[in-house]
Amino acid sequence: MIEQVFFYAALVVMVAGFISVLRVILGPSVPDRVVGVDTLNTIVVAAMILLGAAYDREIYIDIAIVYALLSYVGTLAIARYLQGGLS
Amino acid sequence: MSTTDGDMGVVVRTSARATIPLIGIFGAYIVAHGHLTPGGGFQGGATIAGAGILFLLAFGLEEMKRHFNKNLYSALEGIGGLAFLGAAMLGISVAFFYNTLWHNGPFFNGNPGTLLSAGYLPIMNLAVGLKVFTGLVSAMAGLALYRRWRG
């Protein structure tokens, strides 16, 4: 049984994702683009959870958890690079 | 530049202390349930290697040098590959990669869908996970220790 309402919620979240992609493309400075990518990561996690609920597969939530954990590491790596790199 | 020599602020370090075991346990879950849920050896090993990358980023290069043992990681990578080959050799009397643990083995022969099922697949997932984790952490440490740009 596929719940229609979760597809509409995922559609709304995807519109927000396209807006943050716009910031990544247009951002005048590098930190703007980093914040855009970080926002996009969170939005993608929300979309994965909603699509997992829409397709009624609870194992899709695992991928969302892994993505949330590793996107934190990626953002931290970029922040560390902008801060001056390792040591 | 960062506050002290070679690591990030106290918020990042404290949250890394909380997050590194979480990533490690979740990667171990992905490896151990490789035959039941999405993921498997490579995905779980790469997830645990993400915990190693987070350790390097949060605590800096000096702390990484103190905890990273090149010989141990190199040996564990070899052991992962050999365990994969050993699991493939178990049914060599019938054929290479013959799943003899599943057909007439003493363990790993539970009902399909349970954790202790699927014959040699959990052993191979553990071997690949160990190999991928140690290989990625070794590659990352090698790149981080490669050369200093200044000083």
Side-chain angles (χ1 to χ4, degrees), chain A residues 59-63 65-66 69-70 72-74 76-77 79-80 83-87, chain B residues 1 6-8 12 15 19 23 26 29-30 37-38 47 50 53-54 56-57 144 150:
Chain A
I59 52 176
Y60 288 178
I61 309 298
D62 291 357
I63 293 106
I65 296 170
V66 171
L69 290 171
L70 292 187
Y72 169 63
V73 177
L76 200 62
R80 175 111 206 197
Q83 200 188 27
L86 280 170
S87 71
Chain B
M1 295 300 287
D7 57 358
M8 292 187 95
V12 173
S15 67
T19 314
I23 299 179
F26 204 79
Y29 158 75
I30 292 172
T37 60
T47 307
I53 294 171
L54 179 57
L56 173 67
L57 289 173
R150 51 189 181 276

Side-chain angles (χ1 to χ4, degrees), chain B residues 28-119:
Chain B
Y29 158 75
I30 292 172
V31 172
H33 290 75
H35 52 298
L36 302 175
T37 60
F42 182 82
Q43 288 85 357
T47 307
I48 306 173
I53 294 171
L54 179 57
F55 182 86
L56 173 67
L57 289 173
F59 294 103
L61 201 56
E62 293 301 318
E63 196 76 15
M64 187 76 191
K65 268 187 217 167
R66 205 172 305 137
H67 286 90
F68 177 73
N69 187 349
K70 176 169 71 73
N71 295 323
L72 173 67
Y73 275 67
S74 181
L76 280 178
E77 190 179 359
I79 285 171
L82 284 179
F84 189 90
L85 192 62
M89 284 287 187
L90 278 176
I92 196 67
S93 60
V94 180
F96 191 47
F97 274 101
Y98 180 70
N99 200 344
T100 185
L101 279 181
W102 169 247
H103 291 291
N104 44 19
F107 43 84
F108 287 131
N109 53 1
N111 290 321
T114 58
L115 186 59
L116 295 177
S117 65

Side-chain angles (χ1 to χ4, degrees), chain A residues 33-54:
Chain A
R33 295 193 163 98
V34 175
V35 172
V37 169
D38 200 20
T39 311
L40 188 62
N41 284 331
T42 312
I43 286 170
V44 165
V45 170
M48 280 179 182
I49 300 267
L50 285 171
L51 286 178

Side-chain angles (χ1 to χ4, degrees), chain A residues 1-8 50-57:
Chain A
M1 176 63 197
I2 290 178
E3 301 280 349
Q4 285 290 326
V5 62
F6 288 115
F7 279 113
Y8 296 133
L50 285 171
L51 286 178
Y55 288 108
D56 203 6
R57 299 270 198 278

